[in-house]
Amino acid sequence: MQSVDRAITVLEILAQHREAGVTEIAAELGVHKSTAFRLVGALERRGLVEQPGLRGKYQLGFGIIRLAGTMAAGLDLTQQSRRVCEDLASDLGETVNIAIPSGDMVVNIDQVRGSSAVVSQNWIGRQNPLHSTSSGKVLLAHMRPSDQRRVLRGRLEELTPQTVTDPEELRAEFEDIVERGFATATEELEVGLNAVAAPIRGLTGEVIAAISASGPSYRMEEDKLDAIGETVAKAGMEISTRMGHMETAE
């Protein structure tokens, strides 16, 4: 069992650092270099790690893709996110949604109501303009530049007096969203409704969806949104991990 645990740790080390030598691996495992060499050799024979050059550095091999592909085919976003959404809704007491892009719109595909939600409003299946919701702004902020420009060149409907419709103002907001890891919407979709959303990443790191928490503005006040955003961002990262995404060291 110890060898299995160490072998898995080797894979995690390579996933985090992208590449590492036997000496580095041995140091992180806390074992002799010869032990690390045997572990890496066994993984290399199975195609799970490879040594692409002559520098003595190892990286994950294509055998990982074969194994991950089998698992990824069975991954379902709503299934993988459900428990996280339930925990977040319980923690915040507000409604939590999972949303994905649908053309130039954002559509909610799952919802969990928190204990403080008074009105039983069902957001599942509802489509909204990308620029007017916290989830939509998260998706826009992480879109390819060409797709982002196309959306911003289109008609940006003013749904409430608070809806941001100026492309330059939105672009500046997108930079903040990417930097801080979450987006906010203060009465931009509906008067009296505030929301916070964070990205959900897929296996290769692309943003595939957003998780949001929304509630009345008298309860989700503006000065509370940053703290809520941190909590929602952690939930987004947890779902991302369940979807196969792994953060890498810089």
Side-chain angles (χ1 to χ4, degrees):
M1 288 299 294
Q2 188 180 45
S3 295
V4 172
D5 183 68
R6 285 173 173 171
I8 293 171
T9 304
V10 170
L11 296 177
E12 291 175 340
I13 291 169
L14 295 178
Q16 183 179 22
H17 296 289
R18 297 188 184 274
E19 62 175 23
V22 172
T23 301
E24 299 166 76
I25 293 170
E28 292 212 31
L29 287 175
V31 300
H32 193 274
K33 187 175 177 180
S34 61
T35 301
F37 188 82
R38 285 196 299 272
L39 288 168
V40 172
L43 292 169
E44 187 176 26
R45 287 191 294 275
R46 292 286 185 170
L48 299 177
V49 306
E50 60 185 20
Q51 189 176 190
L54 300 176
R55 298 177 296 115
K57 297 286 187 178
Y58 289 86
Q59 64 183 31
L60 292 178
F62 282 100
I64 290 290
I65 298 175
R66 172 174 49 80
L67 295 176
T70 303
M71 180 61 183
L75 286 175
D76 177 78
L77 178 57
T78 56
Q79 178 184 350
Q80 296 299 321
S81 65
R82 189 69 183 183
R83 181 187 59 76
V84 180
C85 290
E86 290 172 346
D87 290 346
L88 182 62
S90 176
D91 183 24
L92 298 177
E94 305 295 354
T95 300
V96 173
N97 279 282
I98 297 293
I100 60 173
S102 177
D104 291 346
M105 307 287 280
V106 58
V107 59
N108 293 294
I109 62 171
D110 198 17
Q111 174 178 295
V112 177
R113 292 201 311 123
S115 58
S116 299
V118 179
V119 180
S120 180
Q121 184 169 10
N122 188 359
W123 293 88
I124 297 178
R126 176 169 171 177
Q127 289 188 318
N128 293 301
L130 287 162
H131 71 286
S132 64
T133 68
S134 58
S135 291
K137 287 194 281 188
V138 162
L139 296 172
L140 264 173
H142 293 88
M143 272 186 182
R144 292 180 301 181
S146 58
D147 291 333
Q148 188 183 100
R149 286 193 297 270
R150 177 179 51 76
V151 173
L152 295 183
R153 281 198 301 264
R155 179 171 176 265
L156 302 176
E157 185 178 1
E158 185 177 313
L159 300 176
T160 77
Q162 300 300 318
T163 308
V164 180
T165 59
D166 178 71
E168 291 307 314
E169 188 175 344
L170 284 168
R171 286 191 183 95
E173 189 172 351
F174 296 158
E175 293 181 7
D176 289 339
I177 291 168
V178 172
E179 182 176 347
R180 66 185 178 178
F182 61 88
T184 62
T186 52
E187 302 189 75
E188 296 169 45
L189 177 66
E190 292 183 5
V191 174
L193 180 71
N194 287 349
V196 180
I200 296 172
R201 298 181 184 274
L203 185 65
T204 60
E206 80 283 10
V207 174
I208 58 174
I211 180 172
S212 68
S214 59
S217 55
Y218 66 81
R219 202 162 57 227
M220 284 185 62
E221 299 164 301
E222 285 193 51
D223 61 357
K224 297 178 180 177
L225 296 185
D226 282 353
I228 294 172
E230 296 291 341
T231 301
V232 174
K234 288 179 182 177
M237 286 188 283
E238 183 176 351
I239 298 172
S240 298
T241 300
R242 295 179 67 86
M243 293 301 294
H245 175 64
M246 181 177 289
E247 295 289 340
T248 56
E250 293 296 332

